[in-house]
Amino acid sequence: MVQTLTVGDRPASDVVAHYDAIIIGAGVSGLYQLHRLRQLGLNVRVFESGSDVGGTWYWNRYPGARFDSESWSYGFAFSEELLQEWNWREHFSAQPDTLAYIEYAADKFDFRRDVSFNHLLTAAHWNEEQRRWMLTFDNGDRYSATIFIPALGPLSAFVMPAIEGVGSFEGPAYHTARWPKEPVDFSDKRVGIIGTGATAIQAITEIAKTVKHLTVFQRNPNWAAPLHNSVITEEEQKDIKARYPEIYQRCRETLTCFIHNPDPRKALEVSAEEREAFWEQRYSEPGFGIWVGNFADVLIDKRANKLLSDFMEKKIRARVKDQAIADKLIPKNHGFGTRRVPLESGYFEVYNQDNVLLVDINETPIERITPKGIQTTEKEHEFDLIIYATGFDGVTGPYDRIDIRGPNGRSLKEDWAEGLPRTFLGVQAEGFPNMIMVLGPHTARGNIPRNSEQIIDFNTGLIKYMFDNNLTRVEPRPEAVAEWGVHVEEAAAPLLSSQVKSWQTGVNRNVAGRDVLRVLGYNGSAVKYRRIGEQVAVGGYQEFIWD
Ligand code: NAP
């Protein structure tokens, strides 16, 4: 059959240029993938919708945005020189510093030379005859590539709330993922914020420091634990720089690529005193230890999880003066750690302030956004500024927003509309040749740059194999996809989090069709994920169909 050489109604001949590989996204992942493909000597180009590098850290400029990962475990690990040159200011870096770091790396390695900014990808169509992807951008530009690498980020498709009247508010209104570059002064403003996820918890805490009045609209409360951030002293800086190999080795050995790993003991097998003492210790330590460095059973055994949740409930109650408000802040529909745990720096105390009001929208639902504010069933709350901290259509959402079509017009969005996305290792979708994903569904997740480094290293090996062997087409074998799907489901089954609605399980009440629990990550650990990838590479990539 003769394949048509058109994309939409335009001929394939009007592409501006052809590349060996096109990467979409100039965040930490896209830039590291660029670095690796440059090393292979490929003709590669990155397209980025923002006006500069940074990805997540470019877009999420909301007040209070900062790492929940230890800064020194987060960066690019490929350059010892960069590691030694860069001084992280804080153990958990604030967004401006993180963005400055990525910009510094971009300068140092001249990444921008290979990036086209202000290019939002709208369509990617496979052309079977030419064995290449035809990419169309929002400005009408079209490029083709042998390999198409979406490095979109699992949390880039931000979502506005499905509430009547959004857009009718007369004052400024910002989604946290599209925060303006100019500073916002809150001191003379009545501010309303919708959402109480990790983003909102950071933003609320920061905004409450200066705001005239803040109203928080909460649907589901989230468990949150103290971040315990601090400035890195000169002594610590020296120590960190000396220990980078050790730090990164540690990240390679943990289940989630953080420096924290579960304790081998079980909460249900130690005495109440031992349990309490351990939790007190974890609660007083910086970072995610309380979540991913806890007893081995707390995220899989309901009884253990209940004990931990009770412990966290006591902490909230001790920090919030009004117990009726504390009641509202304590999650009832999920246990601690079964959704991504926000880390906070004084969040609960915010509700002790006279100028902060918590509105539980289960009691008084929001009816609509009005020109003056937010109308609940109780009253109209008037604001000068509204903030939507309403999150993202996670993992598959960024793919859904691009018209991705494989052979014979096969639509990725339709393929992934229901149930489990069909992938092999999360790096290739079944039936989509030469599309090689970074942090697609069913890859291990945790400390993102470390996770994406593993994926990119695997992808780079795969691409090298292809070019070394003069191959022009790669897609995963259906049997490998099926086997991987079964493994992904089995790995998710024991986790309590698999039964809880969140972006991690693909649920988003603002997006049509996103109301069913799905397995979107690989939960068999980052270590296992890396080992499987290494075995596939050593075995000569037999899980793929080559041509
Ligand atoms: P999120 O966790 O999905 O939270 C969104 C919030 O908005 C939830 O409280 C949600 O309520 C609420 N919401 C959404 N639609 C609503 C509606 N129509 N009406 C009322 N409330 C609504 O999103 P996020 O806080 O942006 O965080 C997403 C992820 O980003 C995090 O889990 C984390 O992985 C990442 N993140 C990382 C950092 C960091 O590393 N420092 C910081 C921030 C975020 P329901 O819960 O009821 O749906």
Side-chain angles (χ1 to χ4, degrees), residues 472-485:
T472 55
R473 196 182 193 282
V474 58
E475 66 176 296
R477 294 188 182 282
E479 20 341 337
V481 170
E483 204 180 314
W484 178 245

Side-chain angles (χ1 to χ4, degrees), residues 170-192:
E170 283 167 353
Y174 307 127
H175 191 286
T176 45
R178 287 299 178 276
W179 198 263
K181 288 182 182 168
E182 310 72 43
V184 177
D185 180 8
F186 301 104
S187 60
D188 58 349
K189 291 190 180 60
R190 298 160 303 164
V191 178

Side-chain angles (χ1 to χ4, degrees), residues 293-430:
N294 212 305
F295 288 121
D297 53 352
V298 294
L299 301 180
I300 52 175
D301 184 314
K302 270 191 178 161
R303 291 165 308 154
N305 185 268
K306 173 77 171 73
L307 291 173
L308 176 58
S309 301
D310 290 347
F311 173 88
M312 296 305 291
E313 176 174 337
K314 273 192 291 178
K315 291 293 181 192
I316 297 172
R317 290 198 180 284
R319 292 172 58 184
V320 178
K321 285 185 189 149
D322 181 338
Q323 289 306 298
I325 295 177
D327 255 339
K328 293 189 205 299
L329 291 168
I330 294 163
K332 312 286 186 303
N333 63 357
H334 68 283
F336 180 84
T338 62
R339 285 174 139 198
R340 196 285 204 177
V341 176
L343 294 182
E344 49 81 29
S345 307
Y347 174 65
F348 294 108
E349 286 76 6
V350 161
Y351 296 99
N352 297 332
Q353 291 181 209
D354 293 339
N355 62 340
V356 177
L357 173 70
L358 178 66
V359 175
D360 181 341
I361 62 169
N362 300 300
E363 290 172 2
T364 54
I366 295 176
E367 288 183 332
R368 65 189 159 276
I369 310 293
T370 68
K372 297 219 169 320
I374 298 179
Q375 174 76 50
T376 66
T377 49
E378 185 199 25
K379 64 180 253 197
E380 183 178 30
H381 298 259
E382 293 194 3
F383 298 117
D384 303 304
L385 168 67
I386 293 181
I387 301 171
Y388 299 112
T390 43
F392 303 86
D393 186 6
V395 189
T396 52
Y399 290 85
D400 284 357
R401 294 183 181 190
I402 305 165
D403 178 29
I404 300 177
R405 291 182 185 272
N408 302 317
R410 179 174 181 171
S411 152
L412 187 74
K413 184 175 178 176
E414 282 168 21
D415 264 24
W416 286 0
E418 278 167 31
L420 211 60
R422 294 179 61 77
T423 79
F424 180 60
L425 289 183
V427 302
Q428 272 214 287
E430 186 181 33

